[in-house]
């Protein structure tokens, strides 16, 4: 049973990493400048409220293009999150990607 959970967890982490990578390729201002991408552990939270998620969605950063369309978020939904550290223009940076509970869409980036 523990092995099954471990394998499922590894599969979910891989899915989250792929989801974040695809999001970067589609929505980062300069995806080719993002080097040495390293991902942390996959986590879950249901502690974000809709106003925090909405604020994260509208925050303008140099990292993302403006006007990104995110899927709907219902307060109380469990979200997966994965942190990515990377090097861009000789500076080490990091962002956290929040994905829906089906690991199909990024719903916010911090």
């Amino acid at each position: 049973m523990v092995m099954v959970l471990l394998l499922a967890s590894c599969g979910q982490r891989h899915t989250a990493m792929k989801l974040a990578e695809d999001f970067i390729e589609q929505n980062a201002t300069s995806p080719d400048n993002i080097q040495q991408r390293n991902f942390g552990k996959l986590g879950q939270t249901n502690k974000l409220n809709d106003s925090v998620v909405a604020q994260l969605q509208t925050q303008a950063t140099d990292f993302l293009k403006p006007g990104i369309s995110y899927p709907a978020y219902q307060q109380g939904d469990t979200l997966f999150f994965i942190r990515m550290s990377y090097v861009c223009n000789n500076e080490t940076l990091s962002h956290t990607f929040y994905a829906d509970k089906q690991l199909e869409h990024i719903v916010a980036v911090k």
Side-chain angles (χ1 to χ4, degrees):
M1 180 67 159
V2 173
M3 183 61 82
V4 171
L5 291 175
L6 182 60
L7 290 174
S9 176
C10 289
Q12 288 177 322
R13 181 175 180 270
H14 179 74
T15 300
M17 290 169 49
K18 176 76 170 116
L19 192 61
E21 290 278 2
D22 291 347
F23 185 86
I24 291 165
E25 293 305 317
Q26 295 172 12
N27 298 299
T29 54
S30 300
D32 294 336
N33 291 342
I34 300 171
Q35 306 297 315
Q36 300 176 22
R37 299 174 188 181
N38 296 303
F39 289 91
K41 294 180 181 180
L42 182 64
Q44 291 183 33
T45 185
N46 61 357
K47 306 240 185 248
L48 298 180
N49 62 41
D50 55 351
S51 63
V52 170
V53 171
Q55 181 181 14
L56 292 174
Q57 291 175 342
T58 59
Q59 284 180 337
T61 68
D62 293 336
F63 176 66
L64 299 174
K65 298 174 186 173
I68 296 170
S69 178
Y70 293 94
Y73 168 78
Q74 294 290 327
Q75 186 166 325
D77 280 356
T78 297
L79 297 176
F80 283 99
F81 63 89
I82 193 163
R83 188 166 185 81
M84 180 189 78
S85 61
Y86 61 97
V87 175
C88 184
N89 300 324
N90 295 320
E91 187 175 356
T92 300
L93 304 166
S94 66
H95 288 285
T96 302
F97 295 85
Y98 293 92
D100 60 12
K101 60 186 172 187
Q102 293 83 18
L103 285 170
E104 294 176 347
H105 304 284
I106 298 295
V107 299
V109 179
K110 177 179 168 188

